[in-house]
Amino acid sequence: MSQLDLLNIVHRPRRLRRTAALRNLVQENTLTVNDLVFPLFVMPGTNNVEEVSSMPGSFRFTIDRAVEECKELYDLGIQGIDLFGIPEQKTEDGSEAYNDNGILQQAIRAIKAAVPELCIMTDVALDPFTPFGHDGLVRDGIILNDETVEVLQKMAVSHAEAGADFVSPSDMMDGRIGAIREALDESDHSDVGILSYAAKYASSFYGPFRDALHSAPQFGDKTTYQMNPANTEEAMKEVELDIIEGADIVMVKPGLAYLDIVWRTKERFDVPVAIYHVSGEYAMVKAAAANGWIDEERVMMESLLCMKRAGADIIFTYYAKEAAKRLR
Ligand code: PBG
């Protein structure tokens, strides 16, 4: 008997795939509803929702309707939301971002009062709050770093005052995690955590999100602060710095195209790792499904499971509700 024949007799990997029971028994990774965070867009007004045209099935909510949505999310077992707001007005100094009666601050208070157990995370960045659509303050076409960080500190503190459990800086300014940690501690919010968008790439997958928030950059792009998709070492450095500065959870963003970064982050660091299944990824699945080209539900569940396999502990996804229903 040849060596090859012998190998074939001994090793039959298909034995473990023969029945559903066997496949279930040897399954290595599992997606659960506890892994999911729902990104939620709030807008001014009352009793209204608007579907985002480039994100079918995703909506902007007025605060009262966002509260109803949060009750539903929590009833489905979803543990967390990430709040994004469309302000009443955009100003060059971004001051609506830290208005104690701003859109996010009001939303946090209303949701906390109605669904206190739900973990409220809040986006900390200036893009919806200035006319420029950049994550930081702008002067002479330059995105300012340290001046922006001061505004982000105020924004984070005002979210904490309103009752946020976690703040999520998504701006990619240098030094903002340490500065926000300090500002939170000094204002007596040492229990409010920081989920840092640590390895955030300058990605073309964010387009539909910018439609949702009316926050597309009005000039240039975000490549002077978000990372080059070609780089990995740089991501490790960003993650390391954010952990040193006090991040409790680090995020890699976007999702599917960046699973190698999730894997390397998880291998190298001992903190929870989040991944953001971003708007463009969602929109692509929706579009293909609408054409009858793919099975939406299966593609959704496979995508989320693969993020788990790559090492993500937490998944931000617009599919959180559908996935939660499916997982029940
Ligand atoms: C901006 C922000 C963006 C996203 C989350 N926070 C867009 C950007 O950086 O331009 C994208 C999320 C998505 O595409 O779903 N602070």
Side-chain angles (χ1 to χ4, degrees), residues 76-89:
L76 282 168
I78 291 166
Q79 304 294 309
I81 55 168
D82 194 18
L83 278 178
F84 297 90
I86 298 168
E88 293 272 5
Q89 52 174 349

Side-chain angles (χ1 to χ4, degrees), residues 39 41 55 82 84 123-128 133-136 168-172 197 200-210 212-213 215-217 222 225-226 251 253-254 276-282 316-318:
F41 304 128
M55 300 176 69
D82 194 18
F84 297 90
D123 191 58
V124 172
L126 297 184
D127 42 318
H134 278 287
D135 292 35
S168 315
S170 68
D171 56 287
M172 290 298 279
Y197 287 58
K200 176 169 175 180
Y201 287 85
S203 169
S204 304
F205 286 102
Y206 306 152
F209 171 94
R210 295 172 186 172
L213 277 197
S215 63
K222 299 194 175 185
Y225 46 106
Q226 299 180 350
M251 179 189 277
K253 178 181 171 197
Y276 202 136
H277 184 223
V278 300
S279 58
E281 304 177 65
Y282 173 87
F316 286 49
T317 178
Y318 303 99

Side-chain angles (χ1 to χ4, degrees), residues 169-297:
S170 68
D171 56 287
M172 290 298 279
M173 297 300 120
D174 292 335
R176 90 275 204 217
I177 300 303
I180 289 172
R181 185 67 271 157
E182 204 170 73
L184 289 172
D185 291 348
E186 279 170 5
S187 59
D188 220 11
H189 293 296
S190 54
D191 53 344
V192 172
I194 302 178
L195 181 151
S196 146
Y197 287 58
K200 176 169 175 180
Y201 287 85
S203 169
S204 304
F205 286 102
Y206 306 152
F209 171 94
R210 295 172 186 172
D211 294 341
L213 277 197
H214 311 304
S215 63
Q218 295 306 298
F219 68 87
D221 56 29
K222 299 194 175 185
T223 49
T224 67
Y225 46 106
Q226 299 180 350
M227 291 184 358
N228 181 346
N231 296 351
T232 300
E233 293 304 331
E234 194 183 2
M236 296 302 105
K237 176 165 185 168
E238 285 283 5
V239 169
E240 183 170 25
L241 281 173
D242 285 2
I243 293 171
I244 291 169
E245 289 177 33
D248 302 282
I249 303 172
V250 294
M251 179 189 277
V252 173
K253 178 181 171 197
L256 283 184
Y258 294 80
L259 293 186
D260 56 321
I261 308 298
V262 173
W263 175 252
R264 293 223 6 208
T265 302
K266 194 66 197 170
E267 288 275 287
R268 196 180 299 199
F269 302 101
D270 298 319
V271 296
V273 176
I275 186 171
Y276 202 136
H277 184 223
V278 300
S279 58
E281 304 177 65
Y282 173 87
M284 289 193 303
V285 177
K286 283 285 178 187
N291 277 296
W293 295 338
I294 57 171
D295 179 327
E296 179 179 8
E297 194 175 284

Side-chain angles (χ1 to χ4, degrees), residues 20 43 69 78 115 147 160 281 304 312:
M43 64 176 183
E69 183 74 1
I78 291 166
V115 201
E147 292 87 338
E281 304 177 65
L304 299 175

